[in-house]
Structures are given as C-alpha cells and as structure tokens.
Amino acid sequence: MEGVGWIMAIILGGIAGWIAEQIMKSEMGVMMNIILGIVGALVLNAILRMLGVIPPDGWIWQSVIAIIGACLLIWVWRMVRGRTA
C-alpha cells in the first residue's frame, strides 16, 4: 500500500478484505481478509500503473483501491475455481 506504514497496511488490509468479503458475499477468515486487502491493493496499484494511471496517495484512497483489488481477486478466484470444478 502506497504511503502507509506496515502496521497501517495490515490494519487497512484487514478492513478492506472484510469489506470485500461482505460485498462479494464470501466466507473468509481474518488472515485471508488481511492478505486479500494487502495483495488486492498491490495488484490494483500495479494494474493502474500499467494503464498509465498514477494511483493517488493517502490511506483513504489506498483503502478504496484495496477494497476494489480484493473484490477483483475474489472474482478471479471464483472464475478459476468454477472452471476447474
């Protein structure tokens, strides 16, 4: 997460993962919420940079990016799991 420290990244990641869990109606644990939030933020930041968009700094914007990124990861997981099942 851009512009925030590690402890705040874990806290924001957990909150973002929990919100994404509620939006996507998935059942995840606390650790998976933290992982989804942090990885989601990293993935969406990378995607935005590849598209030439500079993601805004600050914890509010990074929280929004983390939530959207975590939702994206849950969606991709469902698509991959659905094709193999």
Side-chain angles (χ1 to χ4, degrees):
M1 293 187 161
E2 302 282 321
V4 296
W6 281 103
I7 293 174
M8 189 55 111
I10 292 169
I11 293 168
L12 290 177
I15 293 169
W18 179 79
I19 292 171
E21 176 184 60
Q22 301 304 308
I23 292 170
M24 299 297 288
K25 309 250 187 288
S26 63
E27 295 293 323
M28 309 271 179
V30 174
M31 283 305 292
M32 186 56 87
N33 286 341
I34 293 170
I35 292 168
L36 278 175
I38 293 172
V39 174
L42 293 171
V43 167
L44 193 55
N45 273 308
I47 290 170
L48 290 174
R49 288 183 196 275
M50 283 191 297
L51 294 174
V53 178
I54 298 174
D57 287 333
W59 66 272
I60 293 175
W61 285 109
Q62 286 302 309
S63 296
V64 171
I65 289 172
I67 292 167
I68 295 169
C71 287
L72 180 67
L73 289 177
I74 292 170
W75 179 76
V76 168
W77 174 251
R78 286 180 178 169
M79 292 295 113
V80 169
R81 192 179 67 190
R83 292 178 191 235
T84 60

Coordinates of all heavy atoms in Angstrom, one line a residue:
M1 N 0.8 -1.2 0.0 CA 0.0 0.0 0.0 C 0.9 1.2 0.0 O 1.8 1.4 0.8 CB -0.9 0.0 1.2 CG -2.0 -1.1 1.2 SD -3.1 -0.8 2.6 CE -4.4 -1.8 2.0
E2 N 0.6 2.1 -0.9 CA 1.4 3.3 -1.1 C 1.2 4.3 0.0 O 0.1 4.6 0.4 CB 1.1 4.0 -2.4 CG 1.3 3.1 -3.6 CD 2.7 3.0 -4.0 OE1 3.4 4.0 -4.0 OE2 3.1 1.9 -4.4
G3 N 2.3 4.8 0.6 CA 2.1 5.9 1.5 C 1.7 5.6 2.9 O 1.4 6.5 3.7
V4 N 1.6 4.3 3.3 CA 1.3 3.9 4.6 C 2.3 3.0 5.1 O 3.0 2.3 4.4 CB -0.1 3.3 4.7 CG1 -1.2 4.3 4.3 CG2 -0.3 2.1 3.9
G5 N 2.5 2.9 6.5 CA 3.4 2.0 7.1 C 2.9 0.6 7.1 O 1.8 0.3 6.7
W6 N 3.8 -0.3 7.5 CA 3.4 -1.8 7.5 C 2.3 -2.1 8.5 O 1.4 -2.8 8.1 CB 4.6 -2.6 7.9 CG 5.6 -2.8 6.7 CD1 6.8 -2.1 6.6 CD2 5.4 -3.6 5.6 NE1 7.3 -2.5 5.4 CE2 6.5 -3.4 4.8 CE3 4.4 -4.5 5.2 CZ2 6.6 -4.1 3.6 CZ3 4.5 -5.2 4.0 CH2 5.6 -5.0 3.2
I7 N 2.3 -1.5 9.6 CA 1.2 -1.8 10.6 C -0.1 -1.2 10.1 O -1.1 -1.9 10.1 CB 1.6 -1.1 12.0 CG1 2.8 -1.9 12.6 CG2 0.3 -1.2 12.9 CD1 3.3 -1.3 13.9
M8 N -0.1 0.0 9.5 CA -1.3 0.5 9.0 C -1.7 -0.3 7.7 O -2.9 -0.4 7.5 CB -1.1 2.0 8.6 CG -2.4 2.7 8.2 SD -3.7 2.5 9.5 CE -3.8 4.2 10.1
A9 N -0.8 -0.8 7.0 CA -1.1 -1.6 5.8 C -1.9 -2.9 6.2 O -2.8 -3.3 5.6 CB 0.1 -2.0 5.0
I10 N -1.4 -3.5 7.3 CA -2.1 -4.7 7.8 C -3.5 -4.3 8.3 O -4.5 -5.1 8.0 CB -1.2 -5.3 9.0 CG1 0.0 -5.9 8.4 CG2 -2.0 -6.4 9.7 CD1 1.1 -6.3 9.4
I11 N -3.6 -3.2 9.1 CA -4.9 -2.8 9.6 C -5.9 -2.5 8.4 O -7.0 -3.0 8.3 CB -4.8 -1.6 10.5 CG1 -4.1 -2.1 11.8 CG2 -6.2 -1.0 10.9 CD1 -3.6 -0.9 12.7
L12 N -5.4 -1.7 7.5 CA -6.2 -1.3 6.3 C -6.5 -2.5 5.4 O -7.6 -2.7 4.9 CB -5.6 -0.2 5.5 CG -5.5 1.2 6.1 CD1 -4.7 2.1 5.2 CD2 -6.9 1.7 6.4
G13 N -5.6 -3.4 5.3 CA -5.8 -4.6 4.5 C -6.8 -5.5 5.1 O -7.7 -6.0 4.4
G14 N -6.8 -5.6 6.5 CA -7.9 -6.4 7.1 C -9.2 -5.8 7.0 O -10.2 -6.5 6.7
I15 N -9.3 -4.5 7.1 CA -10.6 -3.8 6.9 C -11.1 -3.9 5.5 O -12.3 -4.2 5.2 CB -10.5 -2.4 7.4 CG1 -10.3 -2.3 8.9 CG2 -11.8 -1.6 7.0 CD1 -9.9 -0.9 9.4
A16 N -10.2 -3.7 4.5 CA -10.5 -3.8 3.1 C -10.9 -5.2 2.7 O -11.9 -5.4 2.0 CB -9.4 -3.3 2.3
G17 N -10.2 -6.2 3.2 CA -10.6 -7.6 3.0 C -11.9 -7.9 3.5 O -12.7 -8.6 2.9
W18 N -12.2 -7.4 4.7 CA -13.5 -7.7 5.3 C -14.7 -7.0 4.5 O -15.7 -7.6 4.3 CB -13.6 -7.2 6.8 CG -14.9 -7.4 7.4 CD1 -15.3 -8.6 8.0 CD2 -15.9 -6.5 7.6 NE1 -16.6 -8.4 8.5 CE2 -17.0 -7.1 8.2 CE3 -16.1 -5.1 7.3 CZ2 -18.2 -6.5 8.6 CZ3 -17.3 -4.5 7.6 CH2 -18.3 -5.1 8.2
I19 N -14.5 -5.8 4.1 CA -15.5 -5.1 3.3 C -15.7 -5.8 2.0 O -16.8 -6.0 1.5 CB -15.1 -3.6 3.1 CG1 -15.2 -2.9 4.4 CG2 -16.0 -3.0 2.0 CD1 -14.6 -1.5 4.3
A20 N -14.6 -6.3 1.3 CA -14.7 -7.0 0.1 C -15.4 -8.3 0.3 O -16.2 -8.7 -0.5 CB -13.3 -7.3 -0.5
E21 N -15.2 -9.0 1.5 CA -15.9 -10.2 1.8 C -17.4 -10.0 1.9 O -18.2 -10.8 1.4 CB -15.3 -10.7 3.1 CG -16.0 -11.9 3.7 CD -15.5 -12.3 5.0 OE1 -15.5 -11.5 6.0 OE2 -14.9 -13.4 5.2
Q22 N -17.8 -8.8 2.5 CA -19.2 -8.5 2.6 C -19.8 -8.2 1.3 O -20.9 -8.6 1.0 CB -19.4 -7.3 3.6 CG -18.8 -7.5 5.0 CD -19.4 -8.8 5.6 OE1 -20.6 -8.9 5.7 NE2 -18.6 -9.6 6.1
I23 N -19.1 -7.4 0.4 CA -19.6 -7.1 -0.9 C -19.8 -8.3 -1.8 O -20.8 -8.5 -2.4 CB -18.6 -6.1 -1.6 CG1 -18.7 -4.7 -0.8 CG2 -19.0 -5.9 -3.1 CD1 -17.6 -3.7 -1.3
M24 N -18.7 -9.2 -1.8 CA -18.7 -10.3 -2.6 C -19.5 -11.5 -2.0 O -19.5 -12.6 -2.6 CB -17.3 -10.7 -3.0 CG -16.5 -9.6 -3.7 SD -17.2 -9.2 -5.3 CE -16.8 -10.7 -6.3
K25 N -19.9 -11.4 -0.8 CA -20.7 -12.5 -0.1 C -19.8 -13.8 -0.1 O -20.3 -14.8 -0.5 CB -22.0 -12.7 -0.8 CG -22.8 -11.5 -1.0 CD -24.0 -11.5 -0.1 CE -25.0 -10.4 -0.4 NZ -24.6 -9.1 0.0
S26 N -18.6 -13.7 0.4 CA -17.7 -14.8 0.5 C -17.4 -15.1 2.0 O -17.6 -14.2 2.8 CB -16.4 -14.6 -0.3 OG -15.7 -13.5 0.2
E27 N -17.0 -16.2 2.3 CA -16.7 -16.6 3.7 C -15.2 -16.8 3.8 O -14.6 -17.8 3.3 CB -17.4 -17.9 4.1 CG -18.9 -17.8 4.1 CD -19.4 -16.9 5.2 OE1 -18.8 -16.9 6.3 OE2 -20.4 -16.1 5.0
M28 N -14.5 -15.8 4.4 CA -13.1 -15.9 4.6 C -12.8 -15.7 6.0 O -13.6 -15.2 6.8 CB -12.4 -14.8 3.7 CG -12.8 -14.7 2.3 SD -11.7 -15.7 1.3 CE -12.4 -15.5 -0.3
G29 N -11.6 -16.0 6.4 CA -11.1 -15.8 7.8 C -10.4 -14.4 7.9 O -10.2 -13.7 6.9
V30 N -10.0 -14.1 9.1 CA -9.4 -12.8 9.4 C -8.0 -12.7 8.6 O -7.7 -11.7 8.0 CB -9.1 -12.6 10.9 CG1 -8.3 -11.4 11.2 CG2 -10.4 -12.6 11.6
M31 N -7.2 -13.8 8.6 CA -5.9 -13.8 7.9 C -6.1 -13.6 6.4 O -5.4 -12.9 5.8 CB -5.1 -15.0 8.3 CG -4.5 -15.0 9.6 SD -3.4 -13.6 9.9 CE -2.1 -13.9 8.8
M32 N -7.1 -14.3 5.9 CA -7.4 -14.2 4.4 C -7.9 -12.8 4.1 O -7.5 -12.3 3.0 CB -8.4 -15.3 4.0 CG -8.5 -15.3 2.5 SD -7.0 -15.5 1.6 CE -6.9 -17.3 1.5
N33 N -8.6 -12.2 5.0 CA -9.1 -10.8 4.7 C -7.9 -9.8 4.7 O -7.8 -9.0 3.8 CB -10.0 -10.3 5.9 CG -11.4 -10.9 5.7 OD1 -11.8 -11.4 4.7 ND2 -12.1 -10.9 6.8
I34 N -6.9 -10.0 5.6 CA -5.7 -9.2 5.6 C -4.9 -9.4 4.3 O -4.5 -8.4 3.7 CB -4.9 -9.4 6.9 CG1 -5.6 -9.0 8.1 CG2 -3.5 -8.8 6.7 CD1 -5.0 -9.4 9.4
I35 N -4.7 -10.6 4.0 CA -4.0 -11.0 2.8 C -4.7 -10.4 1.5 O -4.0 -9.8 0.7 CB -3.8 -12.5 2.7 CG1 -2.8 -13.0 3.8 CG2 -3.2 -12.9 1.3 CD1 -2.8 -14.5 3.9
L36 N -6.0 -10.6 1.4 CA -6.7 -10.1 0.3 C -6.7 -8.6 0.2 O -6.5 -8.1 -0.9 CB -8.2 -10.6 0.3 CG -8.5 -12.0 -0.2 CD1 -10.0 -12.3 0.1 CD2 -8.2 -12.1 -1.6
G37 N -6.8 -7.9 1.3 CA -6.7 -6.5 1.3 C -5.4 -6.0 0.8 O -5.3 -5.1 0.0
I38 N -4.3 -6.5 1.4 CA -2.9 -6.1 1.0 C -2.6 -6.4 -0.4 O -2.1 -5.6 -1.2 CB -1.9 -6.6 2.0 CG1 -2.1 -6.0 3.4 CG2 -0.5 -6.3 1.5 CD1 -1.3 -6.6 4.5
V39 N -2.8 -7.7 -0.8 CA -2.5 -8.2 -2.1 C -3.4 -7.5 -3.2 O -2.9 -7.1 -4.3 CB -2.6 -9.7 -2.3 CG1 -2.4 -10.2 -3.7 CG2 -1.6 -10.4 -1.4
G40 N -4.7 -7.3 -2.8 CA -5.6 -6.6 -3.7 C -5.1 -5.1 -4.0 O -5.1 -4.7 -5.1
A41 N -4.6 -4.5 -3.0 CA -4.1 -3.1 -3.2 C -2.8 -3.1 -4.1 O -2.7 -2.3 -5.0 CB -3.7 -2.5 -1.8
L42 N -1.9 -4.1 -3.8 CA -0.8 -4.2 -4.7 C -1.1 -4.5 -6.1 O -0.6 -3.9 -7.0 CB 0.2 -5.3 -4.1 CG 0.8 -5.0 -2.8 CD1 1.5 -6.3 -2.2 CD2 1.8 -3.9 -2.8
V43 N -2.0 -5.4 -6.3 CA -2.4 -5.8 -7.7 C -3.1 -4.7 -8.4 O -2.7 -4.3 -9.5 CB -3.4 -7.1 -7.6 CG1 -4.0 -7.3 -9.0 CG2 -2.6 -8.3 -7.2
L44 N -4.0 -4.0 -7.8 CA -4.7 -2.9 -8.4 C -3.8 -1.7 -8.7 O -3.9 -1.1 -9.7 CB -6.0 -2.5 -7.7 CG -6.9 -1.6 -8.5 CD1 -7.3 -2.2 -9.8 CD2 -8.1 -1.2 -7.6
N45 N -2.9 -1.4 -7.7 CA -1.9 -0.4 -7.9 C -1.0 -0.7 -9.2 O -0.7 0.2 -10.0 CB -1.0 -0.2 -6.7 CG -1.6 0.8 -5.7 OD1 -2.0 1.9 -6.1 ND2 -1.7 0.3 -4.5
A46 N -0.6 -2.0 -9.3 CA 0.2 -2.4 -10.4 C -0.6 -2.2 -11.8 O -0.1 -1.8 -12.8 CB 0.7 -3.8 -10.3
I47 N -1.9 -2.7 -11.7 CA -2.7 -2.6 -12.9 C -2.9 -1.1 -13.3 O -2.8 -0.7 -14.5 CB -4.1 -3.2 -12.7 CG1 -3.9 -4.7 -12.6 CG2 -5.1 -2.9 -13.8 CD1 -5.2 -5.5 -12.2
L48 N -3.2 -0.2 -12.3 CA -3.3 1.2 -12.6 C -2.1 1.8 -13.2 O -2.1 2.6 -14.2 CB -3.8 1.9 -11.4 CG -5.2 1.6 -10.9 CD1 -5.4 2.3 -9.5 CD2 -6.2 2.1 -11.9
R49 N -0.9 1.4 -12.7 CA 0.4 1.9 -13.2 C 0.6 1.4 -14.6 O 1.1 2.2 -15.5 CB 1.5 1.5 -12.3 CG 1.5 2.3 -11.0 CD 2.7 1.9 -10.1 NE 2.6 2.4 -8.8 CZ 2.9 3.6 -8.3 NH1 3.3 4.5 -9.2 NH2 2.7 3.9 -7.1
M50 N 0.3 0.2 -14.9 CA 0.4 -0.3 -16.3 C -0.5 0.4 -17.3 O -0.1 0.5 -18.4 CB 0.1 -1.8 -16.3 CG 1.2 -2.7 -15.8 SD 1.0 -4.5 -16.1 CE -0.5 -4.8 -15.3
L51 N -1.6 0.9 -16.8 CA -2.5 1.6 -17.7 C -2.1 3.1 -17.8 O -2.8 3.8 -18.4 CB -4.0 1.5 -17.1 CG -4.6 0.1 -17.2 CD1 -5.9 0.1 -16.5 CD2 -4.7 -0.4 -18.6
G52 N -1.1 3.5 -17.0 CA -0.6 4.9 -17.1 C -1.3 5.8 -16.1 O -1.2 7.0 -16.2
V53 N -2.1 5.2 -15.2 CA -2.8 6.0 -14.2 C -1.9 5.9 -12.9 O -1.6 4.9 -12.4 CB -4.2 5.4 -13.9 CG1 -4.9 6.2 -12.8 CG2 -5.0 5.3 -15.1
I54 N -1.6 7.1 -12.4 CA -0.9 7.1 -11.1 C -1.9 7.1 -10.0 O -2.7 8.0 -9.8 CB 0.0 8.4 -11.0 CG1 1.0 8.4 -12.2 CG2 0.7 8.5 -9.7 CD1 1.8 9.7 -12.3
P55 N -1.9 6.0 -9.2 CA -2.8 5.9 -8.1 C -2.6 7.0 -7.0 O -1.4 7.4 -6.7 CB -2.5 4.6 -7.4 CG -1.7 3.8 -8.4 CD -1.0 4.8 -9.3
P56 N -3.6 7.6 -6.5 CA -3.4 8.7 -5.5 C -2.9 8.1 -4.2 O -3.1 7.0 -3.9 CB -4.8 9.2 -5.3 CG -5.8 8.2 -5.9 CD -5.0 7.4 -6.8
D57 N -2.1 9.0 -3.5 CA -1.5 8.6 -2.2 C -2.6 8.9 -1.1 O -3.6 9.5 -1.3 CB -0.3 9.4 -1.9 CG 0.9 9.0 -2.8 OD1 0.9 7.8 -3.2 OD2 1.8 9.8 -3.1
G58 N -2.2 8.4 0.0 CA -3.1 8.6 1.2 C -3.9 7.3 1.6 O -4.2 6.5 0.7
W59 N -4.2 7.2 2.8 CA -4.8 6.0 3.3 C -6.2 5.8 2.9 O -6.7 4.7 2.7 CB -4.6 5.9 4.8 CG -5.4 6.9 5.6 CD1 -5.0 8.2 6.0 CD2 -6.7 6.8 6.1 NE1 -5.9 8.8 6.7 CE2 -7.0 8.0 6.8 CE3 -7.7 5.8 6.1 CZ2 -8.2 8.2 7.4 CZ3 -8.9 6.0 6.7 CH2 -9.2 7.2 7.3
I60 N -6.9 6.9 2.7 CA -8.3 6.8 2.2 C -8.4 6.2 0.8 O -9.1 5.2 0.5 CB -9.1 8.1 2.3 CG1 -9.2 8.6 3.7 CG2 -10.4 8.0 1.6 CD1 -9.8 9.9 3.9
W61 N -7.6 6.8 -0.1 CA -7.5 6.3 -1.5 C -7.0 4.9 -1.6 O -7.5 4.0 -2.3 CB -6.7 7.2 -2.4 CG -7.5 8.4 -2.7 CD1 -7.2 9.7 -2.3 CD2 -8.6 8.5 -3.6 NE1 -8.2 10.6 -2.8 CE2 -9.0 9.9 -3.6 CE3 -9.4 7.6 -4.3 CZ2 -10.1 10.4 -4.3 CZ3 -10.5 8.1 -5.0 CH2 -10.8 9.4 -5.0
Q62 N -6.0 4.6 -0.8 CA -5.4 3.2 -0.8 C -6.4 2.2 -0.2 O -6.4 1.1 -0.6 CB -4.1 3.2 0.0 CG -3.0 3.8 -0.8 CD -2.7 3.2 -2.1 OE1 -2.6 2.0 -2.2 NE2 -2.7 4.0 -3.2
S63 N -7.2 2.7 0.7 CA -8.3 1.8 1.2 C -9.3 1.4 0.1 O -9.7 0.3 0.0 CB -9.0 2.4 2.4 OG -8.1 2.6 3.5
V64 N -9.7 2.4 -0.6 CA -10.6 2.2 -1.7 C -10.0 1.3 -2.8 O -10.6 0.3 -3.2 CB -11.0 3.6 -2.4 CG1 -11.8 3.3 -3.7 CG2 -11.8 4.4 -1.4
I65 N -8.7 1.5 -3.1 CA -8.0 0.7 -4.1 C -7.9 -0.8 -3.5 O -8.1 -1.7 -4.2 CB -6.6 1.3 -4.4 CG1 -6.8 2.5 -5.2 CG2 -5.7 0.3 -5.1 CD1 -5.6 3.3 -5.5
A66 N -7.6 -0.9 -2.2 CA -7.5 -2.2 -1.6 C -8.9 -3.0 -1.7 O -8.9 -4.2 -1.9 CB -7.0 -2.1 -0.2
I67 N -10.0 -2.3 -1.4 CA -11.3 -2.9 -1.4 C -11.6 -3.4 -2.9 O -12.0 -4.5 -3.1 CB -12.4 -2.0 -0.9 CG1 -12.2 -1.7 0.6 CG2 -13.8 -2.5 -1.2 CD1 -13.0 -0.5 1.1
I68 N -11.4 -2.5 -3.8 CA -11.7 -2.9 -5.2 C -10.7 -4.0 -5.7 O -11.2 -5.0 -6.3 CB -11.5 -1.7 -6.1 CG1 -12.6 -0.6 -5.8 CG2 -11.6 -2.1 -7.6 CD1 -12.3 0.7 -6.5
G69 N -9.4 -3.9 -5.3 CA -8.5 -5.0 -5.6 C -8.8 -6.3 -5.0 O -8.8 -7.4 -5.6
A70 N -9.3 -6.3 -3.7 CA -9.7 -7.5 -3.0 C -10.9 -8.1 -3.7 O -11.0 -9.4 -3.9 CB -9.9 -7.3 -1.6
C71 N -11.9 -7.3 -4.1 CA -13.1 -7.8 -4.8 C -12.7 -8.4 -6.1 O -13.2 -9.5 -6.5 CB -14.1 -6.7 -5.1 SG -15.0 -6.1 -3.6
L72 N -11.7 -7.8 -6.8 CA -11.2 -8.3 -8.1 C -10.6 -9.7 -7.9 O -10.8 -10.6 -8.6 CB -10.2 -7.4 -8.7 CG -9.6 -7.8 -10.0 CD1 -10.6 -7.8 -11.1 CD2 -8.4 -6.8 -10.3
L73 N -9.8 -9.9 -6.8 CA -9.1 -11.1 -6.5 C -10.2 -12.2 -6.2 O -10.0 -13.4 -6.6 CB -8.1 -11.0 -5.4 CG -6.9 -10.2 -5.6 CD1 -6.0 -10.1 -4.4 CD2 -6.1 -10.9 -6.8
I74 N -11.2 -11.9 -5.4 CA -12.2 -12.8 -5.1 C -13.0 -13.3 -6.4 O -13.2 -14.4 -6.6 CB -13.2 -12.3 -4.1 CG1 -12.6 -12.1 -2.7 CG2 -14.5 -13.2 -3.9 CD1 -13.4 -11.3 -1.7
W75 N -13.2 -12.3 -7.3 CA -13.9 -12.6 -8.5 C -13.1 -13.5 -9.4 O -13.6 -14.5 -9.9 CB -14.2 -11.3 -9.3 CG -14.9 -11.5 -10.6 CD1 -16.2 -11.9 -10.8 CD2 -14.3 -11.5 -11.8 NE1 -16.4 -12.0 -12.1 CE2 -15.3 -11.8 -12.8 CE3 -13.0 -11.2 -12.3 CZ2 -15.0 -11.8 -14.2 CZ3 -12.7 -11.2 -13.6 CH2 -13.7 -11.5 -14.6
V76 N -11.8 -13.2 -9.5 CA -10.9 -14.1 -10.3 C -10.8 -15.5 -9.7 O -10.8 -16.5 -10.4 CB -9.5 -13.4 -10.4 CG1 -8.4 -14.4 -10.9 CG2 -9.5 -12.2 -11.2
W77 N -10.7 -15.6 -8.4 CA -10.7 -16.9 -7.7 C -11.9 -17.7 -8.0 O -11.8 -18.9 -8.3 CB -10.5 -16.7 -6.2 CG -10.6 -18.0 -5.5 CD1 -11.6 -18.4 -4.7 CD2 -9.7 -19.1 -5.5 NE1 -11.4 -19.7 -4.2 CE2 -10.2 -20.1 -4.7 CE3 -8.4 -19.3 -6.1 CZ2 -9.5 -21.3 -4.5 CZ3 -7.8 -20.5 -5.9 CH2 -8.3 -21.5 -5.1
R78 N -13.1 -17.0 -8.0 CA -14.3 -17.7 -8.3 C -14.3 -18.2 -9.8 O -14.8 -19.3 -10.0 CB -15.5 -16.8 -8.0 CG -15.8 -16.7 -6.6 CD -17.0 -15.8 -6.4 NE -17.3 -15.6 -4.9 CZ -18.1 -14.7 -4.5 NH1 -18.8 -13.9 -5.3 NH2 -18.3 -14.7 -3.2
M79 N -13.8 -17.4 -10.7 CA -13.8 -17.8 -12.1 C -12.8 -19.0 -12.3 O -13.2 -20.0 -13.0 CB -13.3 -16.7 -13.0 CG -14.2 -15.5 -13.0 SD -15.7 -15.9 -13.9 CE -16.9 -15.8 -12.5
V80 N -11.7 -19.0 -11.6 CA -10.7 -20.1 -11.8 C -11.3 -21.3 -11.1 O -11.2 -22.4 -11.7 CB -9.4 -19.7 -11.1 CG1 -8.5 -20.9 -11.0 CG2 -8.7 -18.6 -11.9
R81 N -11.8 -21.2 -9.9 CA -12.4 -22.4 -9.2 C -13.6 -22.9 -9.9 O -13.8 -24.2 -10.0 CB -12.7 -22.0 -7.8 CG -13.0 -23.2 -6.9 CD -13.4 -22.8 -5.5 NE -14.7 -22.0 -5.6 CZ -15.2 -21.4 -4.6 NH1 -14.6 -21.3 -3.5 NH2 -16.3 -20.8 -4.7
G82 N -14.4 -22.1 -10.5 CA -15.6 -22.6 -11.2 C -15.2 -23.4 -12.5 O -16.0 -24.3 -12.8
R83 N -14.1 -23.0 -13.1 CA -13.8 -23.8 -14.3 C -13.1 -25.1 -14.1 O -13.1 -26.0 -14.9 CB -12.8 -22.9 -15.2 CG -13.5 -21.7 -15.8 CD -12.6 -20.9 -16.5 NE -13.2 -19.6 -16.8 CZ -13.4 -19.1 -18.1 NH1 -12.8 -19.8 -19.1 NH2 -14.0 -18.0 -18.3
T84 N -12.5 -25.2 -12.9 CA -11.8 -26.5 -12.5 C -12.8 -27.5 -11.8 O -12.5 -28.6 -11.7 CB -10.6 -26.2 -11.7 OG1 -11.0 -25.6 -10.5 CG2 -9.6 -25.4 -12.4
A85 N -13.9 -26.9 -11.3 CA -14.8 -27.8 -10.5 C -15.7 -28.6 -11.4 O -16.0 -28.3 -12.5 CB -15.6 -27.0 -9.6

